[in-house]
Amino acid sequence: MKKWLLFVLLLITAGCAVGEAAGPEEIDTSVDSCALCHMGINDEKAASQVIMKDGTPEKFDDIGCMLTFMKGNEVEQAFVRDYHSHQWLKLDDAYIVQENGIETPMSYGFIAFKEKADAATFTQEHNGEIFQGMKVMDVELKRMKMHH
């Protein structure tokens, strides 16, 4: 009877985790490298990551690398870092600015903001285009990369 009860509890516990995407893992600049370009992730504030459907995290040195990866893979959740606070944000909730003059590790020129007002202020001062959440997936990434 105890084994049966334990089995039922394990099933319930496992069932609670289904459908809940894991949060982002911290970046270890001494060992982590980009899942797309394989460069070391040296700039944590430019890093991004996705959680795959099976719960596996994939880390990136540049938001552009993550977006390129996402175009060919199904992911459960995507995360970027706020430009000011460096806190993780869900891509769905972020405002992404793209401007070719923004220096990023792989020269895609993407940065993320938690607040739309911060993204707007940045673009007023430095130009760029604002994308809300997943709308950034509509960008032609090869065109961005070729400008450099």
Side-chain angles (χ1 to χ4, degrees), residues 55-83:
T56 304
E58 296 289 352
K59 300 173 184 179
F60 305 91
D61 63 339
D62 191 301
I63 292 172
C65 286
M66 179 187 75
L67 297 174
T68 301
F69 179 88
M70 288 174 65
K71 287 189 183 248
N73 295 279
E74 287 189 42
V75 303
E76 185 70 28
Q77 192 67 256
F79 297 94
V80 293
R81 290 204 189 250
D82 177 72
Y83 184 73

Side-chain angles (χ1 to χ4, degrees), residues 31-56:
V31 295
D32 287 331
S33 61
C34 180
L36 186 76
C37 71
H38 308 294
M39 296 291 290
I41 300 175
N42 298 319
D43 184 359
E44 277 190 66
K45 63 185 185 292
S48 56
Q49 69 180 277
V50 298
I51 306 299
M52 303 303 290
K53 298 252 184 226
D54 67 359
T56 304

Side-chain angles (χ1 to χ4, degrees), residues 89-95 113-114 133:
L89 308 169
K90 289 182 181 179
L91 177 60
D92 294 336
D93 300 333
Y95 295 90
F113 294 89
K114 180 179 182 179

